[in-house]
């Protein structure tokens, strides 16, 4: 009976993979799993993998391959025989029309695992936009621009170059949401990133956020939000010091 239990344990431990290595699930690396995964923000694409105490002494190497027919397997310079647990693949995985990538991880010359397919345009997290705010009279003027990506190239240009078809349609859509005060709540979409919002009450604090996302990728989540708060200036008479007002009142009464 003890032998049977031991045999069942061996079969259970190794049954998921013929080579005895840990099974790969949905792409989320489990503890001790060497499956590499991308962490990408604004098209800065960095490959990561797990490393445990049992892995001390291992030297890792990384190679990449695109989904273009006939694309070769490329050795990543600077990520050969390293002890680090990450590798910057930004320059090796640019956002190109219809192109995706795999990263292959090796340890001491032995192949370990391959990443899930990585699509820079669909998978990168878009950081919050940049806002320029100005209150003039009873109006809030808000202009939205995108942060730069790798090499100082604007995200809008990177997204434009990644479209699979040529078009003159705007690349990015913007959404302004006013959340405070409740009675002023609104949601406004724009293709230009330029807004003029009419403010109703003096000395009122208005808060909200702005997000953006590519117009050519349906279902893609928007960027991280950029929040803002502005206060509408007081009316002209409200800015006059009360001491002066009181003095004027005394002067009138005294006359």
């Amino acid at each position: 009976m003890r032998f049977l239990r031991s045999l069942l344990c061996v079969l259970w431990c190794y049954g998921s993979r013929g080579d005895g290595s840990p099974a790969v699930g949905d792409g989320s690396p489990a503890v001790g799993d060497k499956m590499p995964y991308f962490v990408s923000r604004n098209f800065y694409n960095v490959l990561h993998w797990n490393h445990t105490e049992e892995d001390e002494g291992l030297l890792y190497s990384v190679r990449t391959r695109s989904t273009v027919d006939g694309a070769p397997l490329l050795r990543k310079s600077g990520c050969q025989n390293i002890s680090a647990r990450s590798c910057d693949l930004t320059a090796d995985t640019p956002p190109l029309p219809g192109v995706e990538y795999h990263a292959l991880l090796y340890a001491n010359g032995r192949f370990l695992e391959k990443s899930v397919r990585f699509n820079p345009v669909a998978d990168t997290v878009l950081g919050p936009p940049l806002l320029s705010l100005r209150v003039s009279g009873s109006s809030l003027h808000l202009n939205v621009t995108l942060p730069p990506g790798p090499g100082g190239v604007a995200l809008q240009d990177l997204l434009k170059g990644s479209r699979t078809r040529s078009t003159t349609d705007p690349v990015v859509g913007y959404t302004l949401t006013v959340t405070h005060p409740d009675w002023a709540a609104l949601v406004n979409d724009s293709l230009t990133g330029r807004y003029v919002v009419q403010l109703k009450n003096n000395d009122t604090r208005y808060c909200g956020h702005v997000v953006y996302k590519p117009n050519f990728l349906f279902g893609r989540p928007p960027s991280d939000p950029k929040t803002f708060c502005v206060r509408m200036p007081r009316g002209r008479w409200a800015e006059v010091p009360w001491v002066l007002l009181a003095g004027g009142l005394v002067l009138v009464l005294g006359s």
Side-chain angles (χ1 to χ4, degrees):
M1 180 63 70
R2 181 177 301 174
F3 172 77
L4 180 59
R5 289 178 180 175
S6 299
L7 179 60
L8 290 175
C9 180
V10 171
L11 292 175
W12 182 84
C13 292
Y14 288 87
S16 59
R17 291 283 297 271
D19 56 3
S21 58
V24 176
D26 59 359
S28 301
V31 175
D33 187 358
K34 293 300 179 297
M35 184 176 184
Y37 58 98
F38 280 90
V39 175
S40 177
R41 186 177 183 84
N42 289 351
F43 299 112
Y44 289 94
N45 310 323
V46 180
L47 188 74
H48 293 260
W49 54 90
N50 286 333
H51 181 91
T52 65
E53 294 181 358
E54 298 177 355
D55 301 324
E56 294 301 325
L58 290 182
L59 296 178
Y60 298 100
S61 298
V62 175
R63 299 183 182 185
T64 60
R65 173 179 285 160
S66 74
T67 55
V68 176
D69 289 342
L73 187 62
L74 302 176
R75 294 164 60 93
K76 171 58 181 175
S77 176
C79 293
Q80 301 298 311
N81 297 316
I82 60 174
S83 59
R85 284 165 271 181
S86 65
C87 175
D88 189 346
L89 294 178
T90 299
D92 307 82
T93 55
L96 300 175
V99 178
E100 298 176 317
Y101 303 90
H102 284 294
L104 289 77
L105 181 65
Y106 299 78
N108 292 348
R110 179 175 63 90
F111 172 69
L112 288 182
E113 288 286 358
K114 180 174 67 173
S115 71
V116 297
R117 186 173 293 185
F118 173 66
N119 184 327
V121 182
D123 298 334
T124 196
V125 175
L126 295 173
L130 307 176
L131 302 184
S132 174
L133 301 170
R134 179 174 61 89
V135 177
S136 176
S138 61
S139 299
L140 167 63
H141 299 261
L142 189 151
N143 291 330
V144 188
T145 56
L146 303 191
V153 181
L155 287 189
Q156 188 162 350
D157 293 335
L158 291 172
L159 290 168
K160 183 177 180 180
S162 69
R163 291 191 293 194
T164 56
R165 64 185 183 89
S166 178
T167 176
T168 58
D169 295 338
V171 178
V172 175
Y174 308 85
T175 300
L176 164 68
T177 302
V178 176
T179 57
H180 179 82
D182 291 341
W183 52 262
L186 67 85
V187 177
N188 194 317
D189 295 324
S190 169
L191 295 176
T192 65
R194 293 188 292 271
Y195 293 92
V196 178
V197 181
Q198 298 302 316
L199 307 179
K200 298 180 180 180
N201 286 11
N202 291 341
D203 200 24
T204 299
R205 190 167 180 258
Y206 293 83
C207 296
H209 61 264
V210 179
V211 298
Y212 63 94
K213 66 178 180 179
N215 287 327
F216 57 93
L217 286 177
F218 297 102
R220 193 203 190 285
S223 70
D224 290 341
K226 178 64 176 181
T227 59
F228 66 88
C229 282
V230 297
R231 185 179 293 277
M232 183 177 177
R234 294 183 179 184
R236 182 176 179 181
W237 286 105
E239 296 175 357
V240 179
W242 284 106
V243 174
L244 295 180
L245 289 177
L249 181 60
V250 172
L251 180 62
V252 171
L253 292 177
S255 61

